[in-house]
Structures are given as structure tokens and as C-alpha cells.
Amino acid sequence: MTRRARSLLAVWLLVGGPVAVFSIWALVENPRLYVVTLLNGLTLASLYFIVASGFTLVFGLMRNVNLAHGSLYLLGGYVGYVVAARTGWWPVALGAGFLSAAIAGLAIQWLILRHMQGQELRQTMVTIGLSIVIADILLWVFTGQVHQMEAPSFLQGPIRDIPLIRAYSAYRLSLLFMGIAIGVLLWLLLNRTRIGAMIRAGVDDRGMLSAAGVNVNLLFAFTFALGAGLAGIGGVIGAVELSMVPGEDTRLLLASLIVVIVGGMGSVVGAALGAVILGLAETFGLAYAPTYSVVLTFLILVGVLAFRPRGILGKAA
């Protein structure tokens, strides 16, 4: 066994051993609580992944620092809430949330960020300012009240007669399938289509792709709009599951940053893995050690950066 293999084995034993011991104890102590917490963690991870998948496109793949991503999540959620209240159609609200965030993201990229390519510090400062402006406008329009959208009629109520846990929210369970579907479609787009190949080529060598006759600015604008639109979809989903209230933009931005850093920049599979780790850490921390749940999240972040500075599935630039 090579030295690298021994190191990886030691890390997995160091992490997996305590997790296995805890899981056995929790299952014996209260199996229903453990299974419900596991499902809650996976469904929360699905929401984190949907939002962070857009962030990994923009930040991880294009290397554009967009710290207004959380505000785009909030924008999509509020627009979806209004559309759902007026039409009563949740799928229409989902599309409206995507379009509103995508259009706002397109405006940010086309009017501002494309003039700052490669200037990460300027992008950071400008998008922080934009996030504050967008959040304040949304606070002015929607006030500080908590807004919560109803789940679509076909997903309202619990699914009953589930072994061990008896019943579980149909909407929350559907988040798993939404996250998987979006992840598969995004992976296929980036790895099995001509547009995906051009996006990856543009990140590696923008000048060469432009010389080949591709409109790189238009390509990157499309990618940015797609990433922003995914944040909007996450906002509509979150408006049902978490409610919309000022401050959720900061929470989801921080979650997206952690997911991308832990999973590896530019990797859709890495983002999914990072979202699962973060979602499970949060829910199990709140269920079994609520005082230290936040500490657990940052311990995971520190541990990954200590052993894998590029993230679990990150690659060298």
C-alpha cells in the first residue's frame, strides 16, 4: 500500500469510525429520531445543492465572485411567492422564480462583472454592495414579515405507513428527487453537450476559444444567468420549506460557500457531496447537540481544508 493510500485510509478511519459508532448508538437509542433526522438532513442537503449548484457554476467554474448569490435566492423566493398567491400554480411560481433571478443575474454579469474578469477583489466588493442593495429593496417592498408559500396541492400532507417513522412530509421527500434531477441535468449539460465543452474550454483558455469564433461574453452571460436562475429555483423551494424572511440570503450564501469549498470548486458531484455533508451535519447537530451544531459545521470545513485544500473533489487549477 502506498503512502498516499495509507494517508487516505487513516483519514477515512478517523472520520468514519466515530460516525459509525454514533450511528449504531443512535439507532439503538431512538431509531425513529435517527431516521427522521437522516431524512431531514438529506432533504435540506437537496435544497443546499440546488442553490449551490448555481454558485459552483459562477464561482467554482467561471471564477466569478458573486456574493449577491444569496440575494438572488431571496429575489426568486419572493417573486415565486407573489406569483403563487395570484395564480395558485406552484410550477408557474417555480418558473417565475427562475426567470426573475436569471434576468437579474444576467444584468449583473453583462453590465458589471464582465468588465472585471479576473479581478476577484473588485468583484467581491461590488457584489457585496449589490447584495446589500437588493436585500434592502426586497425589505422595502416585502417588509420584514415572514412569508411562507403553500406546497403544491399534490405534495401537501404527509406520506403515511412508512416503516419505523410512520409518516413523513411529501413535499420534503420530493426535494430529494428535485435535487437529483437538477444535478443529473446539470452534469449532462457540462459534460455531454457542446455548450458544456465550450464553457469548460472558456474557463481554461478564454483567448483561444474566442479565436475559434465563439462569443465568449455571450457564453459566460448564459452560464451566469443559469447559475442565478438555479438560486431563484432554490428560493421558491425554500419559500415553502424554510419561509422567506430578511437574513435568509446571508444564510444560503454562507451555505453555498461552504458546499463549494468542501466539495471542490467547479465540480457538480463535489457540490452534491458537500451539500450532503453540510445538510447532515446541521440536522444531526441540531437533533443531538444543538449547542454545538454551528461548531460542528465549521469543524468539517476546517478539517477538509486541512487535508484537502482544494476540496474533496477539487482539481488543481
Side-chain angles (χ1 to χ4, degrees):
M1 185 180 291
T2 65
R3 182 178 178 181
R4 176 180 172 80
R6 286 197 299 270
S7 299
L8 288 174
L9 180 61
V11 170
W12 280 113
L13 288 175
L14 184 65
V15 175
V19 170
V21 170
F22 165 77
S23 297
I24 293 170
W25 169 81
L27 279 169
V28 172
E29 183 73 16
N30 191 334
R32 183 177 185 277
L33 174 62
Y34 179 84
V35 176
V36 169
T37 305
L38 178 64
L39 285 173
N40 287 342
L42 291 175
T43 53
L44 179 62
S46 185
L47 174 61
Y48 283 164
F49 170 71
I50 291 169
V51 180
S53 61
F55 195 71
T56 201
L57 274 177
V58 174
F59 177 49
L61 194 59
M62 293 174 57
R63 299 298 190 265
N64 276 348
V65 183
N66 177 28
L67 296 187
H69 194 76
S71 297
L72 297 175
Y73 163 89
L74 208 59
L75 173 65
Y78 277 128
V79 170
Y81 172 83
V82 171
V83 171
R86 294 189 177 181
T87 66
W89 286 21
W90 188 79
V92 175
L94 201 65
F98 174 86
L99 283 175
S100 61
I103 292 169
L106 182 62
I108 291 171
Q109 201 280 334
W110 191 258
L111 297 176
I112 300 172
L113 292 184
R114 75 185 178 103
H115 303 292
M116 304 177 184
Q117 195 66 34
Q119 302 177 48
E120 288 83 4
L121 182 59
R122 285 185 68 193
Q123 292 175 356
T124 300
M125 299 307 295
V126 168
T127 53
I128 287 175
L130 283 171
S131 70
I132 294 171
V133 170
I134 295 171
D136 282 351
I137 291 173
L138 293 174
L139 178 61
W140 171 53
V141 174
F142 295 97
T143 73
Q145 283 186 307
V146 177
H147 294 77
Q148 188 154 19
M149 190 191 307
E150 286 190 3
S153 57
F154 59 91
L155 290 176
Q156 288 181 0
I159 298 174
R160 302 188 183 277
D161 300 323
I162 301 176
L164 191 64
I165 63 174
R166 294 189 292 278
Y168 194 77
S169 167
Y171 180 79
R172 288 206 70 152
L173 202 58
S174 72
L175 294 186
L176 279 175
F177 300 100
M178 293 183 201
I180 292 170
I182 288 174
V184 170
L185 290 173
L186 193 57
W187 185 87
L188 290 173
L189 172 68
L190 292 175
N191 295 279
R192 293 291 185 269
T193 66
R194 187 168 179 268
I195 292 177
M198 287 192 295
I199 292 170
R200 289 181 282 111
V203 172
D204 293 336
D205 196 333
R206 184 187 181 102
M208 184 63 71
L209 187 65
S210 181
V214 176
N215 189 332
V216 178
N217 287 329
L218 183 61
L219 178 68
F220 275 25
F222 163 79
T223 307
F224 200 100
L226 177 61
L230 287 169
I233 288 178
V236 178
I237 293 171
V240 178
E241 187 57 38
L242 302 177
S243 77
M244 301 306 295
V245 66
E248 282 296 293
D249 53 337
T250 305
R251 175 189 170 184
L252 268 295
L253 174 63
L254 180 60
S256 297
L257 277 167
I258 294 174
V259 165
V260 171
I261 291 169
V262 169
M265 291 177 62
S267 171
V268 175
V269 178
L273 184 58
V276 169
I277 291 172
L278 178 61
L280 291 177
E282 280 195 13
T283 52
F284 274 99
L286 287 171
Y288 290 93
T291 306
Y292 305 103
S293 60
V294 176
V295 177
L296 178 61
T297 299
F298 285 97
L299 280 176
I300 291 170
L301 180 60
V302 170
V304 169
L305 290 177
F307 292 99
R308 293 282 298 178
R310 294 190 298 270
I312 296 173
L313 296 181
K315 297 179 181 178

